[in-house]
Amino acid sequence: MANNNIGPNRLVVGAHYGLRDWLAQRVTAIVMAAYTVILLVLFLTGNDFSYEGWAGIFAHQWFKLATFTVFIALFYHAWVGMRDVWMDYVTHSVALRLVFQVATILWLVACVGYTAQILWRV
């Protein structure tokens, strides 16, 4: 009797996201870390720690776009992690897992909209 769990003939089940999601988690983490360094440099080199000072930094369009990009990376990072949690721990019911995944997607899309509203509010 052959063992199908070893070698090229093994039985593979699951979502098969593997390397792509592993790489997405690392890339989004690097984006967030780089933004954190930029914020830290701005904070340490700044001299106006008032609301007006921070509003001045966020008044620049490039900084709003950078911030929005980081939040998109954060939301994608969260999606990959939460999807894996739902797939790993809510395996007994496909319908329940789908409900959790759809709720997560709706929540993250709402967060994207709210982030855009905050950054580009007039």
Side-chain angles (χ1 to χ4, degrees):
M1 183 176 211
N3 186 351
N4 289 336
N5 293 328
I6 300 173
N9 295 327
R10 72 180 195 255
L11 177 63
V12 179
V13 296
H16 311 294
Y17 295 111
L19 180 63
R20 183 182 66 195
D21 286 343
W22 179 86
L23 188 59
Q25 289 268 281
R26 275 45 183 192
V27 169
T28 55
I30 290 168
V31 168
M32 291 182 287
Y35 184 78
T36 301
V37 169
I38 291 169
L39 277 180
L40 189 60
V41 167
L42 287 171
F43 179 75
L44 294 176
T45 59
N47 55 6
D48 186 7
F49 297 111
S50 65
Y51 171 80
E52 289 78 19
W54 281 104
I57 292 171
F58 282 91
H60 301 288
Q61 198 62 241
W62 72 269
F63 199 76
K64 287 181 182 182
L65 288 172
T67 302
F68 191 70
T69 300
V70 168
F71 274 96
I72 294 295
L74 172 68
F75 300 142
Y76 189 70
H77 190 93
W79 162 245
V80 171
M82 289 308 301
R83 190 205 59 227
D84 288 349
V85 167
W86 300 142
M87 286 176 20
D88 289 346
Y89 298 108
V90 186
T91 56
H92 58 281
S93 171
V94 174
L96 185 60
R97 183 175 42 214
L98 181 63
V99 167
F100 282 135
Q101 287 179 338
V102 168
T104 302
I105 290 169
L106 292 174
W107 173 256
L108 292 171
V109 168
C111 288
V112 168
Y114 192 55
T115 300
Q117 179 186 1
I118 290 170
L119 289 172
W120 282 283
R121 184 179 299 165
V122 179

